[in-house]
């Protein structure tokens, strides 16, 4: 935690967090959630002269999340036949595109929020929304809610883990475990078949 603590004790932590969250819509292997939690954990127990503000850290991560979604959405919107063929070959992308379209048409976008917690779910939904030409005004408010929910949850996990267990790897591991548990739950709910009544609508 000492090396992370040196980064957390600098305003650069906001830029690093923002860049990681922005890019992980294209590279889901980037540990942006782990970085947000680690920064919050170290900050919660830090005695350094500069300690990141939890609210600013949350807003930074949430804003970067929405911007990443918007970039992926616009790229998919302009993707053309090649992207359409790629989506047609992916059962996961096709399914997400269909479910997202139905959710947005009904005026609800809970799937967007749920997908933000699932592994690679953010990528699938953002690209699917753009490729299907869903209206930005239907997609982006839900993307903003998803980003704020995810960022708030991640920062809260790190902060309270640091408060209870100190700035240790144990605190980070427990908090990251809770984040992964939420992701596993979200992935399960996304894969769960819809009731026959919902499919008929």
């Amino acid at each position: 935690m000492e090396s992370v603590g040196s980064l957390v004790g600098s305003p650069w932590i906001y830029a690093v967090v923002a860049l990681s969250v922005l890019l992980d819509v294209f590279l889901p292997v980037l540990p942006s959630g782990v970085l947000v939690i680690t920064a919050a954990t170290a900050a919660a127990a830090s005695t350094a002269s500069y300690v990141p503000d939890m609210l600013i850290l949350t807003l930074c991560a949430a804003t970067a999340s929405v911007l990443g979604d918007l970039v992926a959405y616009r790229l998919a919107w302009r993707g053309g036949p090649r992207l359409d063929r790629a989506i047609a070959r992916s059962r996961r992308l096709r399914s997400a595109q269909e479910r997202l379209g139905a959710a947005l048409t009904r005026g609800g976008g809970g799937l967007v929020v749920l997908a933000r917690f699932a592994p690679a779910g953010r990528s699938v939904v953002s690209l699917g929304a753009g490729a299907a030409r869903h209206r930005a005004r239907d997609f982006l408010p839900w993307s903003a809610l998803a980003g704020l929910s995810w960022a708030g949850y991640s920062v809260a996990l790190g902060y309270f883990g640091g408060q209870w267990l100190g700035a240790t790897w144990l605190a980070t591991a427990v908090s990251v475990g809770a984040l992964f548990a939420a992701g596993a739950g979200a992935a399960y709910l996304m894969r769960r078949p819809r009731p026959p009544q919902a499919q008929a609508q």
Side-chain angles (χ1 to χ4, degrees), residues 57-186:
L57 186 62
T58 301
L59 293 177
C60 181
T63 301
S65 178
V66 177
L67 288 176
D69 289 355
L70 179 59
V71 171
Y73 169 86
R74 292 303 301 174
L75 287 175
W77 182 287
R78 297 175 151 190
R82 175 182 288 184
L83 182 62
D84 292 340
R85 288 194 297 269
I87 290 177
R89 290 194 298 268
S90 170
R91 183 169 57 87
R92 188 178 183 187
L93 279 170
R94 286 199 317 272
S95 175
Q97 192 179 76
E98 292 167 1
R99 294 183 64 186
L100 178 62
L104 294 177
T105 299
R106 292 194 303 268
L111 179 63
V112 179
V113 179
L114 197 62
R116 185 61 186 87
F117 290 83
R122 174 192 179 200
S123 305
V124 170
V125 166
S126 297
L127 293 171
R133 309 298 197 275
H134 293 304
R135 295 179 301 179
R137 68 182 184 184
D138 290 334
F139 171 69
L140 287 181
W142 289 103
S143 171
L145 178 60
L148 189 59
S149 301
W150 172 84
Y153 179 70
S154 301
V155 169
L157 286 177
Y159 178 78
F160 288 113
Q163 288 286 312
W164 294 332
L165 300 173
T168 64
W169 285 115
L170 175 61
T172 302
V174 170
S175 299
V176 169
L179 182 65
F180 285 170

Side-chain angles (χ1 to χ4, degrees), residues 28-40:
V29 295
L30 284 179
S32 61
V34 176
L35 178 60
V36 172
I37 285 176
T38 304

